[in-house]
């Protein structure tokens, strides 16, 4: 008789000590009664591919990937989903025989969280702030949710242009008017604003003008914790409903978990527990 072994999974990043993923995946496994061993793994900055090879040889079923390795995760894969290819980055790898498959669950995580929060997307005007890896991951699932319009504003305009260009055909297929925005002071008003910048993590909150959001609109920051507060304060001053990135974090994890294990956990109680733990 073969001894039972847990499914081994990991999150790989540099740094990695801050990651909530082991906590979240342990809660999912407990909820579904599955035996999962999910570890945080620090990869050297020049040793991501080596680390992935080691995990494969040690019998891991896959790993999540976080900063700064998401583009490299796509590069090491032998197969990639359409959404990871469009994003140019992967946050989930699976190991099956000689195959290393890559996916990007950040974007669907965001969209599922918007749905859970009852923040409408279909037919709406949406402003995305930022054009880094997280925004790239979010773009395809956002387009597929069918907003009327998406505008992308980024400090470095060339990155916003590249992001829009990469998604132009998908946007056309879904009838979404996708363009870059040169200035936030154009007078345009949005139903929803997504902050996908890391500005607040660097200690400089984004300076956003008033009047960007329709009254009763919504605003989501991908960041969570204290760093999200300036954006949430701005949203409240706009008369909008605000939400931080904790829901997105749990939802992207639930999607990755179901890709590896074929069972979808309920993110709601896990999010509630995490929020209670993190509240001051
Ligand atoms: P990247 O480094 O790839 O991109 C950072 C983005 O923030 C770029 O658009 C960058 O602009 C912009 N930015 C950084 N500093 C400033 C500033 N001072 N003023 C204006 N813009 C600025 O990071 P990611 O895209 O991977 O992550 C973005 C954020 O999303 C992070 O805070 C991350 O923690 C969060 N995140 C949350 C997830 C979740 O599940 N909740 C999942 C993934 C990410 P420029 O191009 O000009 O440099």
């Amino acid at each position: 008789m073969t001894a039972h072994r847990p499914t081994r999974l990991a999150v790989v990043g540099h740094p990695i000590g801050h990651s909530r993923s082991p906590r979240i995946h342990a809660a999912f496994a407990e909820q579904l009664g599955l035996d999962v061993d999910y570890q945080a793994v620090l990869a050297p900055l020049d040793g991501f591919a080596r680390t992935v090879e080691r995990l494969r040889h040690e019998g891991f079923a896959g790993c999540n990937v976080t900063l700064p390795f998401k583009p490299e995760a796509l590069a090491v894969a032998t197969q990639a989903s359409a959404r990871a290819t469009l994003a140019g980055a992967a946050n989930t790898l699976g190991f099956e025989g000689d195959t290393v498959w890559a996916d990007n669950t950040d974007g669907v995580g965001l969209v599922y969280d918007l749905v859970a929060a009852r923040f409408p997307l279909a037919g709406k005007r949406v402003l995305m702030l930022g054009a880094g890896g997280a925004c790239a991951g979010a773009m395809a699932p956002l387009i597929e949710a069918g907003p009327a319009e998406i505008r992308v504003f980024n400090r470095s305009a060339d990155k916003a242009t590249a992001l829009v260009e990469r998604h132009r055909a998908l946007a056309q297929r879904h009838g979404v008017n996708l363009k870059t925005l040169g200035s936030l002071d154009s007078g345009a008003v949005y139903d929803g604003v997504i902050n996908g910048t890391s500005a607040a993590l660097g200690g400089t909150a984004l300076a956003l003008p008033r009047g960007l959001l329709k009254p009763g609109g919504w605003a989501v920051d991908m960041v969570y914790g204290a760093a999200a507060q300036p954006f949430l304060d701005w949203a409240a001053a706009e008369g909008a409903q605000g939400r931080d990135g904790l829901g997105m974090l749990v939802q992207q994890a639930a999607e990755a978990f179901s890709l590896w294990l074929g069972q979808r956990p309920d993110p709601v109680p896990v999010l509630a527990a995490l929020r209670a733990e993190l509240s001051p």
Side-chain angles (χ1 to χ4, degrees):
M1 204 170 84
T2 341
H4 170 79
R5 290 219 178 93
T7 304
R8 297 179 76 192
L9 295 163
V11 57
V12 181
H14 187 122
I16 202 61
H18 66 288
S19 176
R20 311 263 172 214
S21 293
R23 161 83 182 82
I24 294 169
H25 285 277
F28 289 161
E30 189 185 348
Q31 186 189 97
L32 292 169
L34 297 174
D35 193 3
V36 171
D37 172 15
Y38 187 110
Q39 305 171 13
V41 172
L42 179 74
L45 284 174
D46 63 352
F48 175 72
R50 242 178 16 248
T51 304
V52 167
E53 272 315 290
R54 176 174 69 76
L55 296 180
R56 285 183 62 201
H57 286 294
E58 288 179 5
F60 280 69
C63 63
N64 280 131
V65 181
T66 188
L67 286 174
F69 299 124
K70 290 183 186 182
E72 225 178 316
L74 184 66
V76 301
T78 57
Q79 276 177 21
S81 68
R83 60 194 181 191
T85 305
L86 267 175
N91 75 336
T92 307
L93 294 177
F95 311 142
E96 292 173 20
D98 288 339
T99 302
V100 177
W101 56 257
D103 205 339
N104 190 317
T105 66
D106 283 336
V108 282
L110 174 67
V111 170
Y112 289 157
D113 189 55
L114 292 172
V115 171
R118 298 179 193 277
F119 290 178
L121 276 168
K124 299 298 181 187
R125 303 180 73 186
V126 176
L127 172 63
M128 178 183 274
L129 302 168
C135 292
M139 186 56 85
L142 277 176
I143 289 170
E144 285 161 2
E149 151 183 332
I150 303 176
R151 293 290 175 267
V152 183
F153 176 81
N154 191 45
R155 178 176 64 177
S156 311
D158 56 329
K159 281 201 213 160
T161 303
L163 181 60
V164 164
E165 283 307 318
R166 260 201 337 271
H167 289 81
R168 185 170 299 290
L170 184 71
Q172 273 167 359
R173 280 205 298 283
H174 287 268
V176 178
N177 180 344
L178 172 66
K179 288 184 180 156
T180 58
L181 190 68
S183 158
L184 292 177
D185 296 315
S186 65
V189 179
Y190 299 90
D191 299 292
V193 175
I194 297 165
N195 182 16
T197 76
S198 54
L201 292 180
T204 347
L206 281 184
L208 296 173
R210 292 290 303 277
L212 266 184
L213 272 164
K214 284 185 188 158
W218 52 262
V220 174
D221 200 335
M222 292 192 193
V223 171
Y224 55 85
Q229 204 52 52
F231 181 77
L232 296 177
D233 291 344
W234 168 81
E238 288 278 274
Q241 298 181 74
R243 192 164 174 88
D244 68 8
L246 207 55
M248 173 183 175
L249 180 75
V250 175
Q251 294 279 2
Q252 64 76 24
E255 178 79 0
F257 191 95
S258 61
L259 287 171
W260 289 317
L261 291 147
Q263 291 188 57
R264 175 165 278 279
D266 179 0
V268 174
V270 179
L271 175 58
L274 206 57
R275 222 176 253 301
E277 283 169 26
L278 293 177
S279 67

